[in-house]
Amino acid sequence: MSLFIRQGMSILLGFTLLAVAGCGSKPTKSQGETPAISQQASGSSDQLSASGGASAKPTDWGPAEIAYDYAAMQDDVLIQLKEEPRLHSPLRTVVGVNPQTYTFFFREVMDRGSVESAIRKHAKEESTREDEGFINPDLSFHWLHDRQLQLLVTLPEKSGEEPVWQEYVLNAGGARTAKGSLIGDNFSFQALVLPPQQIWRIAADGKITEKLTDFSVMTNLELLDPEQRYAMLTRFTNYCECDALYDKLYSIYDSKTQTVTSYPIELSSMYRGAGDFMADRRGFFYAQPNNGTDVPKSEFASRILVDGYVHGVSFSRDRKHLLMAVGEAEQKKDLDLVVLDLTVGTEKHYPGVIKGWVPTSEWDGAVVPVSFADDGRFVTFAMRKEEKSFEEARQRFDWKTGKVTSWNPPVPADFWSGFIQTDDGAYQYYWNAGLYQGGVQLLQQAGTGIWIPGTHRFVFAESAQESDGMELFVFDADRKQKTLLKAGLSYGFTLLGASSDGKWLYVATNQSRIP
C-alpha cells in the first residue's frame, strides 16, 4: 500500500500523542454540553501565558465558587478540570504536570466526609494496579458548600525511577448524599500526566540551543507562518492507545507576546466545507461560526464568501491570495480553480481545470481537502485518476500564463507527490522519493525535513545508529555532503521549521535539555 500523508500535517518522529475515542472506555457525551457556568466553557478568547494557565500552587490556593446550574444535571456528579472547563467527566485525558484544580458538582446535597473518603479510596486502589504509572497523588479538599467541592491534586515528588507517564483517577463513586443514597461510580475523571513538548531553537550550525516556551500540558504543535511567530496548539479531549481520532481543542500561540489564545471551534491549516468560511493569514482556516459562538478577533482574519462548495483551499506563498478548488457539495471530479486576491477581494475563475477525482485517505477512506503548494512560479496540486484508485492526476498552475498543465515528479504514481524545495527551486525533497536536483536523486527518502531558507542545505532527523534517540543531520545539496548537526535527541523530537533568515531551526521536544 502506498504512503499517503496529508499535506500540511506536522510529522512527529518516534512517540506521538494519540488521542482517540473508544478503546477501553465507553463513549462520553460531548465535551461542550456542560451546564452553564460562569467561566467560558465554550472556549475563552482571553489570552493566557505560555505556561497554559496552570493551576495555582498549594501555598496560594484560594478557590472561589463557580456558578452552576445544578437543576440541569443529569448525572450524580460532574468532575471538571478548572484549567480547561471543556474537559469533564466521564473521560480519560491528558493534564499538565503542575498541580491541577478540579471542581466536583453534585446533583444533591452531599455527606462531605463520605465524599472525601470515596475519592481517596478510589485514588489509592487505582495506584495499586499492576500497570506502571498509576499513582496516588496528594489531595487537598476545599468545600464551597455541600454541592460543590474543589480538589487540588499535586503529584508526588519523583525519585527518578518512575516511567515517563503518570496517571491518577478521580472518582466519588460510593459517596453518600445527605439523604443516605449512594452515587454511581461510572463518572470518573482519569488524568494522564505526560511531559509537555516545548519549542526550542537550535542555531543552524548546531552550536547554540535555546528553550522558547514553558507549556504546562502536552499538545501537538504546528508552526503556521514563514516568520515562525505563530503556532497552532491542538489538545485532545480524550486519550487512549488506539487509532480512532477524537475531538480536539484548539489555540494559537504567539511567540512574540508569549500568549495563548483559545478558539471554541476547529482550526486547520487545510479547509473543506461551505463557501462561507474564515481565512486567517497567520496560516489557518475555520468554518463560519454559528450565531452566539464567540471567536477571538484578529486583524489577520477575513470572511470568505464563495459561490459553491470549497473542496480545498491553501494560501499562496506570499499569503496575498487564496487558491481554492470549488464545485458542488456532492461533486467528485473536475473542479474549478478559484484564485482570490485577499488585498482587493477580486476573484479569477478557471472552470473545470482541476481534472480528476477528489482525493481520499488510504487510512479510513474519507474525502480529504485538495491542497495547493505554491513556490511563487507554479502552484502544484493533485487529484485521483480514478474514483477507486490512489494513482494521482498531477497538475500545476502557472501564475504567469494562467494555464494548468500536467506535472510529472519522480514519485510513484500511487504515492503522494508532496514536496518542499529550496527558495530558488534548484533542489526538491519529495516526502515519498527523496532529495532531487531535477530528475537526479541525491539523497534517499529520509522522513521529515526542512530546507534552511536562502540555502541549499536540507535538515532532517534519523534514529541514532549507536545509541537511543534521534540525531539531527544537515545535507549540503551542492557538496552532496551529510553532516551530523545534533545528537542526543529524544524519540519525541519534532522538526518544526526554520527562521526566514536561515539562522535558526525550530524544534519541539519533551526532554528537559538539548545537549
Side-chain angles (χ1 to χ4, degrees), residues 270-272 311-314 323 325 335 354 358-359 368-372 381-383:
M270 299 184 291
Y271 173 79
R272 178 177 179 270
H311 289 267
V313 57
S314 301
L323 299 140
L335 304 171
I354 301 179
V358 295
V368 298
V370 178
S371 60
F372 302 89
F381 54 92
M383 298 283 276

Side-chain angles (χ1 to χ4, degrees), residues 125-142:
E125 287 178 349
E126 291 293 335
S127 70
T128 61
R129 287 172 50 174
E130 293 182 0
D131 304 45
E132 281 191 21
F134 280 91
I135 60 172
N136 186 14
D138 297 328
L139 306 176
S140 298
F141 298 83
H142 182 89

Side-chain angles (χ1 to χ4, degrees), residues 52-365:
S55 300
K57 297 180 180 179
T59 54
D60 57 11
W61 186 43
E65 180 180 356
I66 297 175
Y68 200 80
D69 185 2
Y70 296 94
M73 292 187 68
Q74 301 295 316
D75 300 327
D76 292 336
V77 60
L78 184 138
I79 307 168
Q80 177 179 279
L81 179 62
K82 188 174 183 181
E83 178 256 321
E84 177 46 82
R86 290 174 289 181
L87 298 178
H88 60 77
S89 61
L91 87 168
R92 181 185 185 219
T93 193
V94 175
V95 301
V97 296
N98 296 330
Q100 299 292 322
T101 301
Y102 299 85
T103 306
F104 288 65
F105 301 100
F106 295 97
R107 185 167 55 178
E108 298 185 34
V109 173
M110 300 301 298
D111 178 322
R112 297 187 182 189
S114 72
V115 171
E116 295 184 17
S117 296
I119 294 173
R120 292 189 186 280
K121 172 177 174 291
H122 286 291
K124 184 176 181 180
E125 287 178 349
E126 291 293 335
S127 70
T128 61
R129 287 172 50 174
E130 293 182 0
D131 304 45
E132 281 191 21
F134 280 91
I135 60 172
N136 186 14
D138 297 328
L139 306 176
S140 298
F141 298 83
H142 182 89
W143 287 88
L144 282 305
H145 50 73
D146 291 336
R147 296 175 73 178
Q148 184 174 139
L149 164 67
Q150 293 201 18
L151 178 70
L152 182 71
V153 178
T154 305
L155 303 182
E157 292 292 332
K158 283 192 173 185
S159 64
E161 301 297 324
E162 293 85 352
V164 172
W165 65 274
Q166 294 180 304
E167 186 166 359
Y168 57 87
V169 177
L170 303 179
N171 192 340
R176 295 189 307 276
T177 68
K179 296 179 180 179
S181 58
L182 301 181
I183 67 173
D185 63 356
N186 55 341
F187 309 110
S188 66
F189 192 114
Q190 296 178 250
L192 180 68
V193 183
L194 292 172
Q197 286 195 325
Q198 307 296 345
I199 300 176
W200 293 67
R201 67 177 187 175
I202 301 174
D205 61 5
K207 295 181 179 179
I208 301 173
T209 60
E210 182 182 355
K211 183 181 175 184
L212 301 179
T213 61
D214 189 24
F215 298 125
S216 67
V217 67
M218 166 69 85
T219 62
N220 278 352
L221 305 168
E222 179 185 354
L223 291 181
L224 296 170
D225 59 308
E227 290 72 32
Q228 316 293 284
R229 173 176 174 177
Y230 298 101
M232 184 188 300
L233 312 182
T234 54
R235 178 177 181 176
F236 294 102
T237 54
N238 271 268
Y239 177 94
C240 77
E241 293 79 10
C242 53
D243 59 3
L245 296 178
Y246 223 122
D247 291 338
K248 303 175 186 177
L249 305 177
Y250 298 85
S251 56
I252 299 297
Y253 172 68
D254 184 338
S255 63
K256 184 176 181 179
T257 61
Q258 297 187 345
T259 55
V260 176
T261 302
S262 247
Y263 278 74
I265 54 178
E266 180 181 356
L267 308 180
S268 179
S269 55
M270 299 184 291
Y271 173 79
R272 178 177 179 270
D276 185 0
F277 65 99
M278 300 296 293
D280 192 302
R281 291 187 301 280
R282 287 174 291 181
F284 59 93
F285 306 95
Y286 53 93
Q288 180 62 29
N290 297 325
N291 291 335
T293 301
D294 182 21
V295 176
K297 303 296 182 184
S298 170
E299 63 180 299
F300 304 105
S302 301
R303 184 175 183 178
I304 309 300
L305 293 170
V306 178
D307 185 14
Y309 186 86
V310 178
H311 289 267
V313 57
S314 301
F315 287 99
S316 64
R317 179 184 177 92
D318 59 10
R319 301 293 172 97
K320 294 181 179 179
H321 296 83
L322 292 183
L323 299 140
M324 295 178 279
V326 179
E328 300 298 326
E330 302 303 320
Q331 189 172 340
K332 294 185 177 181
K333 64 178 298 187
D334 298 344
L335 304 171
D336 298 344
L337 173 63
V338 177
V339 181
L340 172 65
D341 188 321
L342 290 170
T343 305
V344 296
T346 57
E347 297 179 4
K348 289 185 178 180
H349 290 251
Y350 302 88
V353 300
I354 301 179
K355 300 294 185 182
W357 295 80
V358 295
T360 56
S361 168
E362 290 186 17
W363 180 22
D364 56 10

Side-chain angles (χ1 to χ4, degrees), residues 14-35:
F15 172 77
T16 304
L17 179 65
L18 290 178
V20 288
C23 301
S25 61
K26 65 181 183 179
T28 65
K29 58 189 176 183
S30 168
Q31 304 306 312
E33 294 180 359
T34 312

